[in-house]
């Protein structure tokens, strides 16, 4: 019977609560005031305080930690990554057979320590290109590979990654020729003033066939159509003289000095290259 009595009391209490809630809803009585401060749980121990903080600020804390970690990563990456005094844009059908490390050593003798870090660092950046979707040996290649090389070349043109280009005839033609109109753009420095002194200079090209420059690159015989060009920034319509344009103009001046040293070297050393290995059969 005690259990029944308790059940009846509970039922009466709930019915009374429902009546009061209905009166509050109808506006007959005011809702009971709740003391929020009294209801608030205040942590007292160190453990409780830590748990309370983590409960309320967990995601803010995690986000802050990740943000600081990313910031540190970028700072360290910028401080430790290799810095290059000059970038040679090497896009030609032979590039896949060559050692960029050897090429970089070849160009270091002409470069200067422009960033003042006590070292001369040259980056040869590029890719093997494929004339009409073929390799230099005539083998058909994956069109995606050719597209990647082409995209990388034109991206480098847009960003002015470098002004000195190492190319072959087919790559050169694809770069300067408008695919729709067939019109050829004049974007490289004219070298015809040196043609009378050395046959390696033709138009805007410095052919490497009969020079010492490419002697250590691994060719049994340097190809006839491999040459250097200097992109002429003065022929580029830069528009307003913004800070970016000023930086590019300074970069061009530095790289032109390097190119001038290469020209001087070719004029002084016109002998054919001595090659130590054969890549022509690859």
């Amino acid at each position: 019977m005690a259990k029944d009595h308790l059940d009846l009391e509970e039922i009466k209490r709930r019915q009374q609560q429902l009546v009061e809630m209905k009166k509050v809803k109808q506006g007959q009585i005011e809702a009971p005031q709740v003391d929020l401060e009294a209801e608030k749980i205040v942590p007292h121990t160190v453990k409780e305080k830590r748990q309370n903080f983590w409960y309320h600020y967990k995601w803010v804390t995690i986000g802050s930690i990740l943000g600081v970690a990313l910031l540190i990563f970028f700072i360290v990456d910028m401080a430790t990554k290799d810095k290059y005094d000059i970038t040679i844009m090497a896009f030609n059908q032979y590039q896949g057979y060559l050692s960029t490390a050897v090429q970089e050593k070849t160009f270091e003798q002409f470069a200067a320590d422009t960033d003042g870090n006590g070292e001369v660092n040259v980056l040869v950046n590029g890719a093997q290109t494929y004339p009409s979707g073929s390799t230099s040996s005539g083998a058909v290649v994956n069109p995606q590979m050719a597209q990647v090389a082409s995209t990388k070349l034109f991206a480098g043109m847009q960003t002015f990654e470098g002004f000195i280009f190492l190319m072959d005839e087919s790559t050169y033609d694809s770069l300067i020729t408008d695919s729709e109109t067939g019109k050829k753009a004049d974007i490289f420095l004219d070298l015809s003033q040196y043609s009378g002194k050395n046959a390696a200079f033709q138009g805007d090209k410095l052919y490497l066939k009969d020079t010492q420059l490419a002697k250590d690159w691994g060719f049994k015989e340097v190809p006839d159509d491999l040459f250097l060009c200097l992109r002429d920034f003065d022929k580029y319509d830069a528009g307003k003289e913004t800070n970016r344009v000023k930086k590019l103009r300074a970069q061009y001046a530095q790289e032109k000095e390097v190119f001038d040293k290469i020209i001087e070297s070719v004029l002084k050393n016109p002998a054919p290259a001595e090659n130590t290995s054969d890549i022509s059969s690859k």
Side-chain angles (χ1 to χ4, degrees):
M1 294 299 294
K3 183 176 183 300
D4 293 338
H5 176 71
L6 289 174
D7 289 342
L8 289 174
E9 290 296 327
E10 178 65 20
I11 291 172
K12 289 180 181 180
R13 187 181 68 78
R14 294 183 179 181
Q15 287 177 341
Q16 182 62 32
Q17 288 179 339
L18 290 173
V19 171
E20 291 179 355
M21 290 175 62
K22 187 174 182 180
K23 289 182 179 180
V24 170
K25 186 175 181 180
Q26 294 174 347
Q28 297 178 10
I29 62 175
E30 293 184 358
Q33 298 294 322
V34 178
D35 188 351
L36 297 178
E37 291 298 323
E39 294 292 330
K40 185 183 296 183
I41 300 175
V42 180
H44 297 287
T45 66
V46 174
K47 181 178 180 181
E48 289 176 347
K49 291 179 180 179
R50 184 169 61 247
Q51 290 175 336
N52 182 67
F53 176 85
W54 185 247
Y55 177 80
H56 289 93
Y57 303 103
K58 175 172 63 177
W59 296 113
V60 175
T61 303
I62 292 174
S64 299
I65 293 173
L66 289 176
V68 172
L70 284 173
L71 179 61
I72 293 174
F73 170 79
F74 286 125
I75 292 174
V76 172
D77 182 61
M78 291 299 295
T80 59
K81 71 184 297 185
D82 291 333
K83 295 180 175 62
Y84 299 99
D85 298 294
I86 187 173
T87 298
I88 306 296
M89 305 294 287
F91 290 88
N92 55 80
Q93 60 180 310
Y94 315 105
Q95 193 61 32
Y97 304 128
L98 303 176
S99 167
T100 56
V102 173
Q103 290 178 303
E104 288 165 357
K105 285 293 183 182
T106 302
F107 287 106
E108 280 181 4
Q109 60 183 307
F110 306 108
D113 178 20
T114 57
D115 56 13
N117 67 349
E119 300 178 350
V120 175
N121 294 309
V122 175
L123 173 65
V124 172
N125 185 33
Q128 182 173 355
T129 56
Y130 305 95
S132 303
S134 302
T135 63
S136 56
S137 62
V140 178
V141 299
N142 189 323
Q144 280 76 25
M145 294 174 62
Q147 183 61 43
V148 167
S150 177
T151 300
K152 188 175 182 180
L153 171 58
F154 284 94
M157 289 290 292
Q158 292 295 322
T159 59
F160 290 90
E161 186 174 357
F163 286 90
I164 299 177
F165 285 76
L166 175 63
M167 295 184 290
D168 60 4
E169 296 288 357
S170 62
T171 307
Y172 173 88
D173 287 338
S174 67
L175 183 62
I176 68 169
T177 305
D178 189 303
S179 58
E180 296 182 357
T181 65
K183 184 179 179 181
K184 297 183 182 297
D186 179 20
I187 61 176
F188 293 104
L189 184 70
D190 182 21
L191 305 175
S192 58
Q193 59 178 308
Y194 304 106
S195 299
K197 301 177 182 179
N198 192 308
F201 298 92
Q202 298 182 30
D204 53 9
K205 306 179 185 69
L206 167 52
Y207 286 90
L208 301 178
K209 169 73 174 178
D210 296 325
T211 70
Q212 292 285 348
L213 185 63
K215 69 175 183 178
D216 295 323
W217 289 2
F219 291 108
K220 181 178 181 180
E221 184 177 358
V222 178
D224 292 334
D225 65 340
L226 189 64
F227 53 82
L228 291 172
C229 287
L230 179 69
R231 185 178 183 183
D232 192 345
F233 189 70
D234 292 332
K235 294 179 179 178
Y236 173 70
D237 184 10
K240 294 182 179 179
E241 195 73 5
T242 61
N243 288 334
R244 177 175 181 270
V245 172
K246 291 178 181 179
K247 290 181 180 179
L248 289 175
R249 201 177 298 283
Q251 177 188 344
Y252 170 69
Q254 292 173 349
E255 297 193 22
K256 187 176 184 302
E257 289 183 6
V258 174
F259 197 73
D260 288 340
K261 291 179 181 178
I262 295 174
I263 291 175
E264 183 180 356
S265 174
V266 171
L267 291 174
K268 290 181 177 180
N269 303 283
E274 297 175 4
N275 302 281
T276 57
S277 60
D278 182 5
I279 67 169
S280 60
S281 61
K282 293 185 180 180

